[in-house]
Amino acid sequence: MPRPLVAVLVAALVLVLELPGAHGFQIEEATVASIQLGFNNGSLTSMELVRFYLDRISRLNPLLHAVIEVNPDALRQAARADAERCSGRRRRAIGALHGVPVLLKDNIATRDALNTTAGSFAMLGSVVRRDAGVVRRLRRAGAVVLGKANMDEWANFRSFSGGGWSARGGKGRNPYVLSATPCGSSTGSAIAASASMAAVTLGTETDGSILCPASLNSVVGIKPTVGLTSRAGVIPITPRQDTIGPICRTVADAVHVLDAIVGYDALDAIATMQASKYIPRGGYMQFLKKDGLRGKRIGVPNGFFNFPNGTAQQMVYERHLSTMRKQGAIVIENLDIENLSVLLDFQNNGQLIALPAEFKLSLNSYLSNLLYSPVRSLAEIIAFNNAHPVEENMKENGQTIFLVAENTTGIGALEREAISQLNKLSANGLKKLMREHELDAIATPNNAASSVLAIDGLPAITVPAGYGKLGVPFGLCFSGLRGYEPRLIEMAYAFEHVTMARKMPTFLP
Ligand SMILES: *[C@@H]1O[C@H](CO)[C@@H](O)[C@H](O)[C@H]1NC(C)=O
Ligand SMILES: *[C@@H]1O[C@H](CO)[C@@H](O)[C@H](O)[C@H]1NC(C)=O
Ligand SMILES: *[C@@H]1O[C@H](CO)[C@@H](O)[C@H](O)[C@H]1NC(C)=O
Ligand SMILES: *[C@@H]1O[C@H](CO)[C@@H](O)[C@H](O)[C@H]1NC(C)=O
Ligand SMILES: *[C@@H]1O[C@H](CO)[C@@H](O)[C@H](O)[C@H]1NC(C)=O
């Protein structure tokens, strides 16, 4: 879109977006807690919320490309939630997400009018057997499925386009600085959360796909320990690393969503069984502590904060470290993660060998489970892309990784060796460092540490931290060992509370 046209669009949007929602309830930026208050004191209904978001999507989406489909059933679901609340006709107690509209990344299956396509045309019209495990949990909690979020097509695994591009959804834009990358692959989820196009959203991460877009769109992203949330019914890359997590405007909202989606699922049995021991009795809300930084040992490993002196990032991150110390954290700088350069090198750490083989196996398995699909294998997707070179932007994006994956023949000696190298790197790297220094977390910028975490299924939370000279957001990421969600939430919540860094989107050119 040419710049002047963008400017006019933005001017028009900003004017319209000033309008308050129903009965004076301010829906823009509304938190889950305030939405529930609004429901309870009669100043808001779920129907009004859905109308607000649908209207906002229709205005903003031509510019931001955050949403790939809206749910034709959303208003009916909202009406049902409103009726349940009024009549008290509900078996379960009304939880935090009851009547709350949630937007799902387009690789998360729903058994309804919505398509599940990972951004592609190849899977348009495919019919899933059932909702994804996390969606079943959201529906049980009474949430309203608002629609599907745009994403980097095939979670970036077709090519490394990286900016939220998909054949069906177009190219995502950063709502702060429209020309800046919104990052991927959970691009639409992060943009929609940031620009109040949904109350809350879900993203998925294999290596950075929640942490990066959440950081660059100034929202909170939780990447749960692998297995804490079910991957059943989610278009996969690798079960060794894939995880589903919330992207929201506040830590508390993200924790509400996390509480709703964690837990055992027979269709992702081994991983969810193993991780279920990490789920605390009473859920995660108890860890929203304003003094959550007190006494925490936070490592700052070398090699991540490489911002030149005098840049906004360098100054702001420096200030945040000192703020955390003032809040009672023990911040330990100058730590070394062994073999960090290898760990961060996708080509040499083992991922380039393991992932393509795992991807082919798990994608073919997902495709074979569908009730109907125009494509039934990776090979057929490759053929589809070759047959639709214009729609699929083949000239620019190609499908190199698909071809590499199609060439693999399962998990053989080579792949096993790569996976064992990844495990060894993690054991000698972050895990050893955390144990030796008794760390509760390491702090790193944005998604800088995502590969270090990805290879071992480790959890992380990113929180808005500041804005660069041109207004592009950045985040601070807390990460740790498997099952460390409770203390990561404590630190992230306290950090958010004391810094209050998030500002509303600016829509700068
Ligand atoms: C109801 O709660 C909302 C959210 O806290 C608040 O903004 C609004 O003023 C309240 N309205 C009434 C009538 O109490
Ligand atoms: C799903 O895709 C079909 C095309 O196969 C389209 O007709 C339909 O409108 C899509 N559903 C939604 C909710 O957009
Ligand atoms: C940045 O400033 C600090 C202290 O002011 C100094 O020790 C350091 O060498 C500087 N780094 C660079 C890269 O200039
Ligand atoms: C696939 O394997 C063949 C035979 O080993 C090789 O020649 C070809 O370059 C491979 N293609 C890709 C994309 O890796
Ligand atoms: C990590 O580095 C050490 C030397 O610091 C080396 O002995 C070891 O083999 C490396 N591990 C891996 C998995 O690359």
Side-chain angles (χ1 to χ4, degrees):
M1 206 180 301
R3 285 278 171 105
L5 190 54
V6 170
V8 170
L9 244 172
V10 170
L13 287 169
V14 170
L15 276 176
V16 191
L17 293 174
E18 298 297 319
L19 293 173
H23 305 145
F25 184 99
Q26 184 70 36
I27 297 178
E28 199 179 353
E29 297 282 313
T31 63
V32 167
S34 73
I35 285 171
Q36 289 302 336
L37 279 174
F39 286 162
N40 288 332
N41 73 12
S43 66
L44 182 69
T45 66
S46 186
M47 293 267 282
E48 286 164 341
L49 261 188
V50 168
R51 280 204 194 94
F52 174 91
Y53 291 126
L54 291 179
D55 181 56
R56 194 149 163 114
I57 289 167
S58 72
R59 291 173 200 282
L60 279 178
N61 213 46
L63 184 68
L64 299 180
H65 299 148
V67 177
I68 198 161
E69 280 184 9
V70 294
N71 188 358
D73 195 41
L75 275 169
R76 212 181 52 80
Q77 287 176 21
R80 196 172 58 212
D82 287 336
E84 275 181 353
R85 195 182 317 104
C86 290
S87 68
R89 226 179 336 99
R90 192 178 156 77
R91 272 172 290 132
R92 257 174 282 269
I94 288 198
L97 294 188
H98 187 264
V100 173
V102 48
L103 188 73
L104 308 167
K105 188 176 177 178
D106 188 43
N107 58 351
I108 301 174
T110 50
R111 179 93 164 94
D112 54 15
L114 292 162
N115 296 289
T116 306
T117 71
S120 73
F121 281 116
M123 289 200 61
L124 192 56
S126 68
V127 181
V128 300
R129 239 166 244 283
R130 54 179 80 78
D131 285 336
V134 290
V135 175
R136 285 202 305 278
R137 286 185 179 274
L138 287 172
R139 290 201 206 273
R140 249 178 278 150
V144 173
V145 174
L146 185 65
K148 295 280 172 82
N150 193 18
M151 58 182 282
D152 266 311
E153 189 167 321
W154 301 109
N156 251 341
F157 215 63
R158 196 184 108 192
S159 67
F160 289 109
S161 56
W165 177 85
S166 82
R168 286 186 63 220
K171 182 150 175 35
R173 280 206 180 85
N174 186 317
Y176 291 83
V177 179
L178 297 165
S179 56
T181 178
C183 201
S185 68
S186 307
T187 317
S189 310
I191 295 171
S194 194
S196 290
M197 296 160 83
V200 295
T201 76
L202 282 192
T204 71
E205 171 144 342
T206 307
D207 185 347
S209 280
I210 288 175
L211 297 178
C212 188
S215 301
L216 295 196
N217 292 288
S218 209
V219 282
V220 174
I222 300 184
K223 181 222 169 193
T225 299
V226 166
L228 203 60
T229 51
S230 166
R231 289 81 52 78
V234 178
I235 300 176
I237 290 183
T238 167
R240 202 170 40 74
Q241 295 184 192
D242 293 348
T243 183
I244 290 77
I247 302 182
C248 301
R249 288 177 294 277
T250 67
V251 174
D253 283 1
V255 171
H256 276 303
V257 176
L258 185 69
D259 263 335
I261 62 174
V262 296
Y264 175 75
D265 181 353
L267 297 174
D268 185 12
I270 297 171
T272 55
M273 176 69 88
Q274 275 174 1
S276 62
K277 63 173 174 284
Y278 298 128
I279 302 171
R281 193 177 292 270
Y284 290 97
M285 289 301 285
Q286 58 187 303
F287 303 108
L288 301 178
K289 294 181 186 160
K290 286 177 183 160
D291 66 350
L293 282 161
R294 187 174 304 155
K296 294 293 191 308
R297 296 174 60 83
I298 302 174
V300 181
N302 292 322
F304 295 104
F305 289 96
N306 302 320
F307 304 99
N309 280 345
T311 59
Q313 281 89 340
Q314 183 265 327
M315 292 186 288
V316 171
Y317 281 129
E318 199 63 51
R319 198 174 70 228
H320 287 332
L321 294 186
S322 105
T323 299
M324 292 197 285
R325 287 191 172 103
K326 284 192 200 116
Q327 294 295 310
I330 299 121
V331 177
I332 307 166
E333 295 184 73
N334 282 320
L335 299 176
D336 283 313
I337 297 178
E338 202 169 293
N339 295 323
L340 182 64
S341 59
V342 186
L343 270 164
L344 294 178
D345 181 355
F346 183 85
Q347 311 244 352
N348 286 309
N349 63 9
Q351 296 228 62
L352 191 57
I353 294 171
L355 255 65
E358 294 164 335
F359 174 64
K360 182 181 176 182
L361 287 174
S362 48
L363 182 65
N364 283 345
S365 158
Y366 176 90
L367 294 170
S368 70
N369 264 315
L370 294 169
L371 283 181
Y372 168 79
S373 178
V375 287
R376 282 296 188 177
S377 65
L378 176 58
E380 288 183 17
I381 293 171
I382 290 171
F384 178 95
N385 291 339
N386 285 332
H388 301 84
V390 178
E391 298 96 307
E392 290 293 340
N393 203 10
M394 287 293 280
K395 212 164 154 188
E396 209 179 306
N397 291 326
Q399 51 181 343
T400 311
I401 308 176
F402 273 14
L403 298 176
V404 171
E406 182 54 25
N407 238 2
T408 62
T409 53
I411 307 296
L414 199 63
E415 287 77 16
R416 270 194 291 274
E417 193 190 315
I419 292 166
S420 115
Q421 154 146 321
L422 287 166
N423 292 337
K424 189 174 155 205
L425 280 167
S426 184
N428 293 330
L430 184 57
K431 287 208 283 207
K432 192 166 89 189
L433 180 80
M434 293 211 47
R435 220 164 285 126
E436 277 179 5
H437 293 269
E438 298 181 328
L439 300 178
D440 294 295
I442 58 164
T444 50
N446 305 330
N447 60 312
S450 71
S451 299
V452 174
L453 309 169
I455 61 169
D456 212 350
L458 306 179
I461 304 183
T462 181
V463 185
Y467 302 83
K469 211 172 90 195
L470 301 175
V472 179
F474 51 88
L476 185 69
C477 179
F478 298 91
S479 60
L481 302 179
R482 289 187 200 193
Y484 271 25
E485 279 82 1
R487 53 187 111 178
L488 298 180
I489 289 167
E490 287 180 346
M491 289 176 265
Y493 182 74
F495 175 82
E496 176 192 57
H497 179 74
V498 68
T499 58
M500 301 283 275
R502 178 178 153 77
K503 293 183 233 161
M504 276 160 62
T506 45
F507 300 98
L508 300 171

